[in-house]
Amino acid sequence: MGSGFIACELAGFFSSIGVKTKLIVRSQNILGNEDEEIASIFKKEFSQKVDIEFDTSVKDVEYKNEQFYMVLENQDDKKIEHQSEALLYAIGRESNTDSLNLENTSIQINERGYIKRDEFFETTAKGVYVVGDAAGVYMLQHAAAYEVNHLGKILLEDCKIPLKFKYMPHGVFTEPEIASVGITEQEAKKQNIECVITTTTWLASAKAMSTRLKYPVTKFIVNPKNYEILGCHMIGPESSTMIHQVLAVMHINNDIRHLKEMLYIHPAMSEAILPAAVESVKEIEKYESKK
């Protein structure tokens, strides 16, 4: 039960190893936090691999004889009986700090139940620090590891600089695979951000062509004034690996023209980034010439 990346990853895994799996989604949307264009491609492809019931909710559950007996209800109020050996809920996260007996300490939690900290990761108890999920900021393993590394510098190297993430990438490890960083198109429109948006297929990459997959694309959202990459969204094989090339540019000198001018190994999958960067720069030049 769920429509986020955890629900999709679990459903995709169990289905791929031969476990009969049904994913129950309460709306028509799946991966609602992703860029809408990427999520639309994902929905079409993923639905061919995993049995998904959209616009459906679980109205009743009974566990007996080592089986879950459920009553499902769709948007037409039609009730369907369903039986399974396991029922997994992946509909969100909540803090479990209530199990830590923090009331016996001076460590404070916020209104969401996560542990409060300052800009140097120190909690309200002097000398006690918190990183990762327990702080409720970026609940991703790579974010926690990055925070731990910086905390080490603070404690062991007398670092006086607080950690400021330039960007926070993430991946969805399913088939198809997604990687994303920065703002989505819908966020750019909602915030009225001036930008140039391009979506480019991977078909210029010989290795990508060899997969015989037609859906893989790279989407760039770029500031036309300075060529800064505001967002990049990829869907296709090894997207989470390929996007690191984009992250390197964003980390060192955020200018999409670096991706356009660099040398690519042929016929590596990463060649698919080149035409995407070329198209983005071309569209920016068109955008600026119209002003």
Side-chain angles (χ1 to χ4, degrees):
M1 180 77 185
S3 60
F5 74 92
I6 294 176
C8 290
E9 287 177 346
L10 288 172
F13 167 74
F14 285 116
S15 182
S16 67
I17 63 172
V19 177
K20 189 175 181 180
T21 305
K22 182 185 290 290
L23 179 60
I24 301 169
V25 179
R26 288 182 290 187
S27 68
Q28 274 293 322
N29 299 321
I30 196 166
L31 294 183
N33 290 329
E34 298 296 331
D35 182 271
E36 289 179 352
E37 182 178 11
I38 300 298
S40 177
I41 296 171
F42 178 86
K43 179 181 177 181
K44 178 181 177 182
E45 298 298 324
F46 192 66
S47 296
Q48 297 175 30
K49 300 173 175 65
V50 176
D51 180 16
I52 306 178
E53 290 283 353
F54 290 101
D55 292 317
T56 301
S57 58
V58 178
K59 303 304 291 185
D60 188 45
V61 181
E62 182 181 5
Y63 183 69
K64 62 181 181 180
N65 301 323
E66 299 185 341
Q67 293 282 322
F68 287 92
Y69 294 86
M70 288 167 272
V71 177
L72 310 180
E73 185 176 86
N74 62 23
Q75 62 178 351
D76 299 320
D77 296 325
K78 180 181 178 181
K79 289 183 171 57
I80 306 166
E81 293 185 352
H82 181 71
Q83 178 182 339
S84 66
E85 296 177 28
L87 172 60
L88 300 178
Y89 269 84
I91 56 175
R93 301 189 193 187
E94 60 181 30
S95 173
N96 64 350
T97 52
D98 57 353
S99 66
L100 299 178
N101 299 320
L102 295 180
E103 64 274 10
N104 298 322
T105 74
S106 58
I107 297 174
Q108 297 178 5
I109 59 175
N110 61 25
E111 64 279 359
R112 295 168 55 225
Y114 294 100
I115 298 174
K116 290 183 178 181
R117 66 184 185 183
D118 63 17
E119 61 183 350
F120 294 101
F121 308 116
E122 191 168 23
T123 68
T124 48
K126 186 172 178 59
V128 180
Y129 299 83
V130 62
V131 297
D133 292 11
V137 183
Y138 295 111
M139 290 188 278
L140 297 164
Q141 193 282 333
H142 49 275
Y146 204 82
E147 289 181 345
V148 166
N149 181 62
H150 195 77
L151 178 58
K153 295 177 182 178
I154 293 171
L155 298 178
L156 304 176
E157 301 175 19
D158 199 30
C159 175
K160 303 296 184 183
I161 303 172
L163 176 63
K164 301 292 184 184
F165 286 105
K166 291 183 180 180
Y167 50 83
M168 183 52 64
H170 68 269
V172 182
F173 297 94
T174 48
E175 176 58 45
E177 186 172 309
I178 290 175
S180 178
V181 64
I183 64 171
T184 62
E185 181 175 355
Q186 59 265 30
E187 288 172 336
K189 289 178 179 178
K190 184 177 181 179
Q191 298 175 38
N192 199 29
I193 296 174
E194 183 179 6
C195 59
V196 168
I197 301 171
T198 56
T199 302
T200 311
T201 72
W202 290 11
L203 295 180
S205 162
K207 191 169 183 178
M209 287 178 64
S210 72
T211 67
R212 299 189 177 184
L213 299 173
K214 300 294 178 63
Y215 69 81
V217 297
T218 298
K219 183 170 187 173
F220 277 117
I221 302 170
V222 182
N223 184 339
K225 296 179 180 178
N226 59 6
Y227 294 88
E228 177 188 6
I229 301 169
L230 303 176
C232 178
H233 310 278
M234 308 178 76
I235 181 168
E238 298 298 327
S239 288
S240 61
T241 299
M242 289 176 60
I243 202 169
H244 281 81
Q245 192 165 331
V246 179
L247 300 182
V249 168
M250 293 177 71
H251 185 75
I252 299 170
N253 181 11
N254 194 347
D255 187 324
I256 196 170
R257 289 173 293 189
H258 293 309
L259 293 172
K260 173 180 175 289
E261 300 300 331
M262 70 172 290
L263 177 64
Y264 292 77
I265 295 174
H266 177 79
M269 194 81 82
S270 297
E271 271 192 313
I273 295 175
L274 176 58
V278 169
E279 183 178 0
S280 182
V281 171
K282 187 183 299 182
E283 290 302 313
I284 290 171
E285 292 170 349
K286 287 182 185 178
Y287 179 87
E288 288 298 305
S289 67
K290 293 177 182 177
K291 296 179 68 175

